[in-house]
């Protein structure tokens, strides 16, 4: 005390450390670890016990704090917090507090009335806002953890709750049933749930979701081997608003779950089941026979089903408009025949059939007859569809507008042009990809009627398609507006010129990528013939096309908005020609891999770039980094890839 009375204000602190021992300075450091939580407000350093000053050092008394309270007491405290902001602040304190807060169900929180009664005691009123907004969260990889899910559940509880949650796991993901349980308790208004690659998630956590989130409308499960029929049955019973279900590579989901979905989900509009070995005819029959009058989209892929399932689809799927059947190796020709003759697919507009051995000439013809409103048909990897079956299919499916064939190696040029000349007045688009059955064909056939309805023709990587085919195509299809000829090494200027001369309507989009034998001559002719209508031109990989082609484009193509000259022989001169054109208004320019272009084209690119939204300079080795930086600064509205 005498020392205090003799204090004169000069010898209080001399500038040294106030601690005799360096260890004593650690007494003022926070005693809790940093926790990665959802809400970011800064956490104030907390000292777990008060300090008592002595003359020489600080001593920490061991006294009881809030941390020694049992979970039951903390739970009662937390559920009485007046609002979401307070709960979020408490969630930032520790993982223990966050876990306790995430275990509080909305029904266990104090009601608005009790909160308002307590508000005057704290000196004011607090307005509790209820928002039914559709909040969305997506977690991927190492960000997908139980702690983060708990934080999301606590943080969104007073904002109407989470509406959509997507979790894509990986080897570093740490999502278990505990995290999904927190979502179930904190987000009762959840409408869409997507879970991918989560082997640690099983029925336990998802049963809480099924019991707590009754507004669920969309469910997407992929590579979740521990989820079983038990969850699917429960969610079907408790979530009557389910409209969209997708299940992929879930080995423990089988017939019982699908039958329950058919029984309880009368509002179901879309179902997709892929690579689920436990699913068989019993599950598909139980599903389709009960909700077939409501379903509009059905996808079945890599399942152990037989002709029975297709027969049920053909009879009961009366509302289906989009149907996909893929890799159904146990389905035979009989299944497709019965499905077509079931007369239930009257509303079917789109059909995709991939790698199904039952997709034969007879089976597909039956489908064509039984689906009078079929507009789009895609057939992939069909080893049994022949020329005769293709022509019979077109005759039976009189409403067909779009036909896509991929890896149908029994289709020859005879079948292709037989299809074109006998497609009626409905077919608008025809695409063939990787069909290797094209060989020499005698085009000296009798005069046949042209296909006046066909507007789009695409053929990709079909090595037997040569100049003579283009001549016949122009003769049979004079009203083409979109032409794609990709990877056709046998096509030259001569055949393409004949095709362009026959296109009376004016070409709008042309894709010649990978046609390595084309030159500037065909580009110049196309620009002069169709420059008034051409809007998109793709010349990727046409190595013999150079500056003369760009000059013709600049002079004739007023409406061109998309130009791709990647890996072409263009140089600075060609780009300068584009820049000098006052009528060209390009929006997308791709010149990836053009090694002859240098920094000298920078002024031309700046001028052309005033209208550009996208510019691809990838692998243009002649353009320096400095020039790219200048372009980025000048063309700030344009998305530049370099």
């Amino acid at each position: 005390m005498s020392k205090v009375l003799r204090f004169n204000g000069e010898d209080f602190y001399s500038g040294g450390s106030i601690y005799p021992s360096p260890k004593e300075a650690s007494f003022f450091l926070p005693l809790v670890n940093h926790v990665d939580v959802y809400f970011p407000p800064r956490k104030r350093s907390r000292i777990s016990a008060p300090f008592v000053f002595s003359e020489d050092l600080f001593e920490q008394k061991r006294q009881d704090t809030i941390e020694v309270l049992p979970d039951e007491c903390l739970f009662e405290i937390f559920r009485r917090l007046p609002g979401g902001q307070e709960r979020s602040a408490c969630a930032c304190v520790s993982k223990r507090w966050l876990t306790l807060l995430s275990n509080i169900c909305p029904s266990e929180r104090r009601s608005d009335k009790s909160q308002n009664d307590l508000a005057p005691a704290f000196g004011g009123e607090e307005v509790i806002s209820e928002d039914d907004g559709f909040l969305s969260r997506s977690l991927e990889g190492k960000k997908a953890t139980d702690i983060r899910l708990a934080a999301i559940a606590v943080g969104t509880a007073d904002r109407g709750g989470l509406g959509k949650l997507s979790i894509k796991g990986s080897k570093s993901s740490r999502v278990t049933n505990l995290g999904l349980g927190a979502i179930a308790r904190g987000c009762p208004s959840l409408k869409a749930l997507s879970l991918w690659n989560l082997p640690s998630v099983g029925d336990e956590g998802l049963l809480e979701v099924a019991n707590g989130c009754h507004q669920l409308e969309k469910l997407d499960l992929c590579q979740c081997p521990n989820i079983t029929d038990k969850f699917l049955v429960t969610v079907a019973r408790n979530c009557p608003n389910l409209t969209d279900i997708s299940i992929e590579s879930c080995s423990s989901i089988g017939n019982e779950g699908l039958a329950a979905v058919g029984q309880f989900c009368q509002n179901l509009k879309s179902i997709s089941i892929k690579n689920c070995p436990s699913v068989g005819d019993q599950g598909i029959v139980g599903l389709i026979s009960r909700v077939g009058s409501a379903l509009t989209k059905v996808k079945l892929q890599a399942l152990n089903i037989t002709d029975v399932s297709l027969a049920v689809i053909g009879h009961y799927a009366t509302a289906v408009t989009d149907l996909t059947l893929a890799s159904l190796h146990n389905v035979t020709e009989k299944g497709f025949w019965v499905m077509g003759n079931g007369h239930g697919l009257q509303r079917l507009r789109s059909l995709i059939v991939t790698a199904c051995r039952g997709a034969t000439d007879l089976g597909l013809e039956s489908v064509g007859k039984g689906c009078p409103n079929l507009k789009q048909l895609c057939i992939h990897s069909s080893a049994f569809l022949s020329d005769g079956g293709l022509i019979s299919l077109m005759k039976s499916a009189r409403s067909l507008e779009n036909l896509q064939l991929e890896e149908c190696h029994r289709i020859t040029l005879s079948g292709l042009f037989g299809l074109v000349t006998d497609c009626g007045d409905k077919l608008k688009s025809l695409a063939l990809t990787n069909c290797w059955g094209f060989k020499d064909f005698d085009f000296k056939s009798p005069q046949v009627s042209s296909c006046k309805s066909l507007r789009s023709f695409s053929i990709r990587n079909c090595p037997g398609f040569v100049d003579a085919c283009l001549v016949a195509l122009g003769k049979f299809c004079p009203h083409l507006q979109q032409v794609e000829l990709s990877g056709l090494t046998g096509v030259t200027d001569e055949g393409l010129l004949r095709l362009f001369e026959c296109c009376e309507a004016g070409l709008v989009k042309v894709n010649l990528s990978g046609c390595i034998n084309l030159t500037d001559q065909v580009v110049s002719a196309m620009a002069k013939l169709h420059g008034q209508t051409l809007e998109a031109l793709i010349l990727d990989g046409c190595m013999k096309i150079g500056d003369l082609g760009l000059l013709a484009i600049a002079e004739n193509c007023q409406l061109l908005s998309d130009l791709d000259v990647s890996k072409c022989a263009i140089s600075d001169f060609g780009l300068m020609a584009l820049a000098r054109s006052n009528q060209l208004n390009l929006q997308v320019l791709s010149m990836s891999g053009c090694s002859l272009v240098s920094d000298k084209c920078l002024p031309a690119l700046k001028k052309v770039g005033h209208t550009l939204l996208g510019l691809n300079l990838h692998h243009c080795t002649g353009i320096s980094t400095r020039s790219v930086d200048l372009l980025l600064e000048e063309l700030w509205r344009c998305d530049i890839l370099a």
Side-chain angles (χ1 to χ4, degrees):
M1 190 68 178
S2 61
K3 293 182 180 180
V4 176
L5 293 176
R6 290 196 299 267
F7 170 69
N8 59 12
E10 297 178 357
D11 54 349
F12 178 70
Y13 175 60
S14 60
S17 174
I18 64 172
Y19 304 107
S21 172
K23 294 182 179 180
E24 297 169 10
S26 64
F27 290 154
F28 279 113
L29 296 178
L31 299 182
V32 293
N33 295 326
H34 173 72
V35 180
D36 180 20
V37 293
Y38 181 72
F39 280 86
R42 182 179 299 175
K43 181 178 65 177
R44 182 175 299 174
S45 298
R46 178 170 55 85
I47 299 174
S48 62
F51 288 91
V52 178
F53 289 85
S54 67
E55 184 173 353
D56 300 319
L57 53 82
F58 296 106
E59 293 180 355
Q60 184 179 16
K61 267 194 174 182
R62 297 183 177 273
Q63 296 185 3
D64 293 339
T65 66
I66 194 172
E67 287 293 344
V68 303
L69 288 177
D71 289 348
E72 293 78 6
C73 293
L74 287 175
F75 185 89
E76 290 298 322
I77 294 173
F78 291 153
R79 80 182 189 91
R80 285 171 169 77
L81 291 174
Q85 187 174 0
E86 288 76 8
R87 284 191 288 271
S88 298
C90 290
C92 294
V93 173
S94 67
K95 291 183 180 180
R96 179 192 177 201
W97 285 28
L98 173 60
T99 303
L100 288 172
L101 284 161
S102 67
N103 278 276
I104 302 175
C105 298
S107 59
E108 294 173 326
R109 300 176 192 145
R110 294 189 67 88
S111 64
D112 291 346
K113 182 176 184 302
S114 60
Q115 289 174 6
N116 292 335
D117 289 344
L118 288 175
F122 294 94
E125 292 188 7
E126 181 177 354
V127 178
I128 306 299
S129 61
E130 295 293 337
D131 185 8
D132 293 329
F134 197 79
L135 300 178
S136 176
R137 292 290 183 271
S138 178
L139 302 179
E140 296 185 16
K142 63 181 181 180
K143 292 184 179 180
T145 63
D146 287 342
I147 290 296
R148 198 172 292 268
L149 287 175
I152 290 174
V154 174
T156 60
D158 270 27
R159 300 170 60 192
L162 198 63
K164 180 179 180 181
L165 176 61
S166 175
I167 306 175
K168 294 184 178 181
S170 65
K171 294 181 179 179
S172 59
S173 300
R174 297 184 300 276
V175 173
T176 66
N177 295 321
L178 295 176
L180 290 177
I183 291 295
R185 291 184 291 273
C187 306
S189 59
L190 190 67
K191 298 184 186 309
L193 177 62
S194 178
L195 305 177
W196 284 28
N197 191 19
L198 298 175
S200 299
V201 172
D203 290 337
E204 182 182 349
L206 284 175
L207 285 176
E208 290 194 62
V209 174
N211 291 321
C213 304
H214 295 167
Q215 299 181 36
L216 198 63
E217 296 177 359
K218 295 183 179 181
L219 178 63
D220 181 10
L221 304 176
C222 179
Q223 295 181 3
C224 298
N226 292 321
I227 299 176
T228 70
D229 286 332
K230 185 177 181 180
F231 161 68
L232 205 57
V233 171
T234 305
V235 78
R237 287 178 175 174
N238 294 342
C239 303
N241 295 326
L242 273 172
T243 59
D244 190 331
I245 296 178
S246 177
I247 305 173
E248 179 179 347
S249 301
C250 295
S251 55
S252 299
I253 291 180
N255 297 326
E256 182 183 357
L258 292 180
V261 170
Q263 181 178 357
F264 298 107
C265 300
Q266 296 301 308
N267 296 316
L268 193 65
K269 300 297 182 184
S270 175
I271 183 75
S272 174
I273 310 170
K274 177 181 178 181
N275 193 26
C276 296
S278 299
V279 173
D281 288 330
Q282 183 180 354
I284 300 301
V285 170
L287 174 70
I288 300 296
S289 63
R290 291 171 174 171
V291 293
S293 58
L295 276 173
T296 58
K297 294 183 179 181
V298 176
K299 179 178 180 179
L300 306 177
Q301 181 173 349
L303 304 178
N304 294 321
I305 60 175
T306 67
D307 298 339
V308 175
S309 293
L310 264 65
V312 172
I313 291 174
H315 186 76
Y316 289 101
T318 55
V320 171
T321 59
D322 297 81
L323 176 61
T324 299
L325 305 173
S327 302
L328 304 179
H329 303 303
N330 295 327
V331 175
T332 67
E333 179 184 76
K334 181 179 179 181
F336 279 88
W337 187 88
V338 174
M339 182 176 70
N341 285 277
H343 304 294
L345 297 175
Q346 299 294 307
R347 298 183 182 180
L348 188 66
R349 297 176 60 87
S350 174
L351 174 62
I352 301 175
V353 180
T354 302
C356 294
R357 65 186 185 94
T360 63
D361 294 346
L362 179 61
L364 291 174
E365 181 183 2
S366 175
V367 171
K369 291 180 180 178
C371 305
N373 293 305
L374 188 63
K375 303 292 184 183
Q376 178 176 346
L377 176 60
C378 305
I379 304 174
H380 300 170
S381 303
S382 176
F384 302 101
L385 179 63
S386 66
D387 291 341
L390 183 61
I391 296 174
S392 298
L393 171 64
M394 288 304 304
K395 290 181 178 180
S396 60
R398 303 307 298 179
S399 298
L400 195 63
E401 297 178 356
N402 186 320
L403 177 61
Q404 299 178 26
L405 303 175
E406 182 174 353
E407 295 183 6
C408 297
H409 301 309
R410 293 188 64 189
I411 302 297
T412 68
L413 290 172
S414 177
L416 172 62
F417 288 104
L419 161 69
V420 170
T421 57
D422 197 19
C423 64
D425 57 354
K426 295 292 185 180
L427 189 64
K428 297 179 181 179
S429 176
L430 176 61
L432 297 96
T433 304
N434 295 326
C435 295
W436 298 346
F438 296 162
K439 297 179 181 179
D440 295 337
F441 176 63
D442 182 12
F443 292 101
K444 297 178 181 180
S445 55
Q447 184 68 28
V448 293
S449 60
S450 61
C451 180
K452 297 181 179 181
S453 62
L454 196 64
R455 295 292 183 270
S456 175
F457 180 80
S458 173
I459 184 162
R460 309 181 191 94
N461 302 319
C462 298
F465 205 85
V466 293
D467 286 344
C469 304
L470 293 177
V471 175
L473 180 65
K475 179 181 178 182
F476 297 146
C477 307
H479 299 288
L480 288 176
Q481 294 180 332
Q482 298 185 20
V483 174
E484 178 179 358
L485 308 173
S486 298
L488 303 183
T489 57
V491 169
T492 65
D493 291 350
E494 182 181 357
L496 204 55
L497 283 172
R498 297 284 298 274
L499 172 64
F500 289 159
E501 290 171 355
C502 294
C503 295
E504 302 172 358
L507 291 172
V508 176
K509 182 177 181 180
V510 177
N511 185 347
L512 304 175
S513 59
C515 295
I516 58 176
N517 291 316
L518 300 181
T519 68
D520 289 326
Q521 180 184 359
V522 74
V523 176
S524 300
M526 176 179 55
K528 293 176 181 179
L529 289 171
H530 303 282
Q532 300 299 316
T533 58
L534 193 62
E535 297 178 3
L537 177 59
I538 313 299
L539 301 173
D540 183 9
C542 298
M543 298 178 291
K544 296 182 180 181
I545 294 177
D547 294 335
L548 293 179
L550 284 186
L551 181 60
I553 291 171
E555 293 176 350
N556 299 281
C557 301
Q558 302 177 4
L559 300 179
L560 191 67
S561 61
D562 189 347
L563 176 62
D564 189 346
V565 288
S566 298
K567 296 185 287 293
C568 292
I570 65 169
S571 67
D572 299 333
F573 176 79
L575 292 176
M576 292 176 185
L578 287 180
R580 286 194 296 268
S581 175
N582 295 323
Q583 59 187 7
L584 200 61
N585 291 293
L586 285 176
Q587 293 184 359
V588 179
L589 174 61
S590 180
M591 37 190 287
S592 172
C594 295
S595 57
L596 300 179
V597 176
S598 69
D599 288 342
K600 295 179 180 180
C601 73
L602 190 61
L605 287 177
K606 287 183 178 179
K607 186 175 181 181
V608 174
H610 288 308
T611 60
L612 286 179
L613 299 177
L615 175 61
N616 186 355
L617 301 176
H618 202 50
H619 296 306
C620 291
T621 55
I623 300 180
S624 65
T625 304
R626 181 177 178 274
S627 296
V628 172
D629 293 337
L630 291 174
L631 284 175
L632 288 170
E633 182 178 351
E634 181 80 15
L635 308 178
W636 55 271
R637 293 177 61 252
C638 179
D639 185 11
I640 300 178
L641 176 62

